[in-house]
Amino acid sequence: MADVTVIGTGVIGSGVVRACAAAGLEVAVWNRTGRRAGEVAKANPRVQVHATAAEAVRASRITLLCLLNYPVTHRVLEQAGAELSGRLFVQHSSGVPESVGPLQDRITGAGGRFVEAAVLNYPDAIGTDACFTVYGGAPEDFAELGPVTKAMAGHQVHLHDEPRYAKAYHVVASAFYYAFVSGFLECAAIAEHVGVPLNAFADSVPLYDPGFENTVRVGLDLIERRDYAYEQAPLTTHIDVLQNLAGAAEDAGVDASYLTALRDRVRTALEQGHRREHIAILTEQFRARRSAAAAPHPVEGA
């Protein structure tokens, strides 16, 4: 029997699998695309790929759900059926606090137990001292996750008995992060326009948080090279979060939120075919508008 099951081997899931295997845990995995699960397993002899979600869930008493969002999680759990009974499920997917209750009810109604988790850093930090994850759920369930939280490393914090608190914390922390991202992108565009070298701009920013520093360093390098390919956090991973956050801002009575503007910029980039690029590619929208404004206007009658 495996020590833990990971459902979904995308960017977050594969990071969790690698960290757990490196910590000596036997890991059962399932992914909709078998090739991606196979790639993770190839480098980790402690990882066993299963053909169905039901088989993977049955392989251990703890299942870490690392799928794209809550609707996808619900669809996958339908495949697991009665396998939910007697098992502990930890949800890592993107969503809002209102999404937590229905999923919790589904799992506990089938005899399972439920913990909500939110990873608050880039996936490559999982398994390192820089990893920061918050959890909501029964203290005894969090305690049962001891081997997993030890493998995740860094700061693993139990916030509250109520699972939705973890997602609420994530919403607030994400809104703060995207405020920084939005300001960073606009500042980079202004710095470039007024002739401030990007490296000098980076050195002038007070980088109190390692996650912010990573965004600045990686983002400025990509902006300077105008090559935005970045698998750690491509644009497709941002759109669900920003749609949820823009909705949360609207519900809170916030007018003209920067979150709405940033969401719309990401939508535009996705419509232009940019799916696997870093969010720094949004600076190209600023450049395009600046170029259009500077272009000579045709002479009337010419």
Side-chain angles (χ1 to χ4, degrees):
M1 192 170 189
D3 297 304
V4 65
T5 292
V6 178
I7 299 294
T9 56
V11 180
I12 289 286
S14 59
V16 171
V17 170
R18 285 190 291 269
C20 288
L25 302 180
E26 298 294 327
V27 188
V29 302
W30 175 85
N31 190 68
R32 182 181 59 83
T33 305
R35 177 183 58 80
R36 295 197 69 166
E39 289 172 355
V40 175
K42 189 183 301 183
N44 296 284
R46 294 184 179 277
V47 178
Q48 177 66 46
V49 178
H50 290 264
T52 67
E55 288 180 11
V57 169
R58 189 165 55 243
S60 75
R61 293 186 59 80
I62 298 173
T63 292
L64 310 181
L65 300 165
C66 300
L67 299 159
L68 180 63
N69 54 36
Y70 282 77
V72 172
T73 301
H74 279 285
R75 288 199 297 272
V76 169
L77 287 181
E78 286 176 6
Q79 302 175 30
E83 304 296 337
L84 309 185
S85 180
R87 290 179 164 83
L88 174 58
F89 291 82
V90 185
Q91 166 71 320
H92 293 80
S93 302
S94 172
V96 292
E98 290 73 22
S99 302
V100 176
L103 182 61
Q104 181 182 6
D105 291 344
R106 178 179 203 139
I107 290 172
T108 57
R113 291 168 293 140
F114 182 79
V115 168
E116 184 72 33
V119 180
L120 304 177
N121 44 254
Y122 280 123
D124 59 0
I126 294 172
T128 75
D129 289 343
C131 186
F132 184 18
T133 311
V134 295
Y135 299 82
E140 59 270 24
D141 292 337
F142 178 72
E144 188 174 335
L145 290 174
V148 173
T149 56
K150 183 177 180 180
M152 295 284 281
H155 301 282
Q156 307 294 305
V157 181
H158 180 248
L159 289 176
H160 200 277
D161 293 3
E162 171 56 52
R164 70 181 297 277
Y165 270 69
K167 195 58 67 186
Y169 187 101
H170 185 252
V171 166
V172 173
S174 297
F176 182 78
Y177 170 76
Y178 282 112
F180 167 80
V181 169
S182 183
F184 156 62
L185 294 174
E186 294 184 22
C187 286
I190 293 168
E192 189 176 51
H193 180 58
V194 300
V196 174
L198 294 180
N199 286 338
F201 163 57
D203 290 338
S204 73
V205 178
L207 302 175
Y208 300 119
D209 183 277
F212 292 172
E213 180 173 5
N214 185 68
T215 297
V216 170
R217 296 295 179 186
V218 171
L220 289 180
D221 178 60
L222 298 176
I223 291 169
E224 195 163 47
R225 290 191 286 114
R226 302 187 82 157
D227 176 5
Y228 300 95
Y230 194 70
E231 285 296 323
Q232 278 293 311
L235 276 182
T236 51
T237 66
H238 291 283
I239 189 62
D240 275 344
V241 179
L242 284 167
Q243 286 177 165
N244 291 331
L245 291 171
E250 182 178 353
D251 291 345
V254 177
D255 294 325
S257 170
Y258 70 88
L259 292 164
T260 302
L262 190 56
R263 178 205 63 194
D264 291 344
R265 289 170 185 159
V266 170
R267 280 179 176 171
T268 296
L270 290 171
E271 289 167 2
Q272 293 170 343
H274 304 298
R275 305 187 65 79
R276 308 307 303 173
E277 286 82 0
H278 189 277
I279 198 168
I281 198 171
L282 301 189
T283 57
E284 294 298 321
Q285 295 177 20
F286 304 142
R287 282 172 168 161
R289 294 186 185 111
R290 190 169 70 239
S291 297
H297 296 286
V299 178
E300 189 174 341

